[in-house]
Amino acid sequence: MQVGALIIGDELLSGKRQDKHMQALIRILAARGMKLAWAEYLGDDPARIEAALRRAFAGGDLVFSFGGIGATPDDHTRACAARALGVPLALHPEAKALLEARFGPDAYPHRIQMGQFPQGAAIIPNPVNQIAGFSCGSVHFLPGFPSMAWPMAEWTLDTHCRHLFSDEPDIEESCIAVNAREGDLIGLMQDFTCRYPALKLSSLPNFGNEAIPQMHIEFGFSGLPALVEIAIAEWVKALQGLGYEVRVKASVMK
């Protein structure tokens, strides 16, 4: 089973916003030994969204759809999913209860629509504001807001897709930043530790040796190979962007 992504919103195609979902999904998958096979960007065009969802439902891939499940007139994804499946929209009892608990009487008449999913859908819990996403088979529908969508994607994978996780042995990849001092890079290390919680980041300063006479630091990332490869590439790019000479070392099995 391959993994795909549908990323929906006119604001992405117009340049008003930059997409962050694809890179985040790549990291989320890599932390579980999985890879993204394809991605498709769509505007808020119901015909195109419905056509893309028909392909997704028929294709059998594990698909994450981001965006378009709100209650505003430009949110078409729920209705398009129902039409693609040939079923009506129906108010999900658990989603209804969550919306009423959060908004009380103000859930009606508009917010309650966010609990209308294609008949037979299962909910995806939203840890941020309790407005659920939903799953139809192997296609999972998430909001466009990163703070909500990413933990919902992780929950979906950890709850329903553990059989797809890889059991590859961990590796370590490292690089050397010449003339670098740890104190100047603590902020960057903290950022990467937060970005890659599944990896172990190491920092080994050296005041110079026969191979590299200058002061330098050897940085290493260890964990699942797919995630390590992404992290070390981003780390090298970040160091080079700060003006450091960087030397990449060979990977080592853990």
Side-chain angles (χ1 to χ4, degrees), residues 177-210:
V178 181
N179 288 321
R181 299 174 184 271
E182 280 187 312
D184 297 330
L185 293 168
I186 289 175
L188 186 63
M189 286 189 277
Q190 290 174 334
D191 289 344
F192 270 70
T193 300
C194 293
R195 188 182 304 178
Y196 294 97
L199 297 182
K200 181 179 179 181
L201 169 62
S202 61
S203 172
L204 182 62
N206 192 303
F207 289 98
N209 52 35
E210 291 183 4

Side-chain angles (χ1 to χ4, degrees), residues 173-180 185 188 212 214-221 231-249:
E173 291 199 12
S174 58
C175 68
I176 292 171
V178 181
N179 288 321
L185 293 168
L188 186 63
I212 304 176
Q214 305 99 315
M215 177 180 290
H216 57 273
I217 303 174
E218 181 174 337
F219 295 102
F221 287 93
I232 196 71
E234 290 189 0
W235 181 256
V236 169
K237 184 177 179 180
L239 290 174
Q240 291 173 336
L242 293 172
Y244 293 104
E245 176 191 345
V246 182
R247 305 180 188 181
V248 179
K249 300 183 68 177

Side-chain angles (χ1 to χ4, degrees), residues 6-10 42-54 57 63-85 89 113 116-118 134 136 139-144:
L6 298 173
I7 304 170
I8 300 169
D10 281 346
L42 300 165
D44 295 313
D45 180 334
R48 287 186 181 276
I49 296 171
E50 182 178 340
L53 289 174
R54 285 184 186 276
F57 290 130
V63 179
F64 290 92
S65 174
F66 297 90
I69 62 171
T72 57
D74 61 344
D75 288 319
H76 305 294
T77 304
R78 289 178 292 108
C80 289
R83 288 196 298 271
L85 288 167
L89 284 173
Q113 295 175 15
Q116 289 189 333
F117 307 145
F134 62 97
C136 297
V139 183
H140 307 283
F141 295 85
L142 310 173

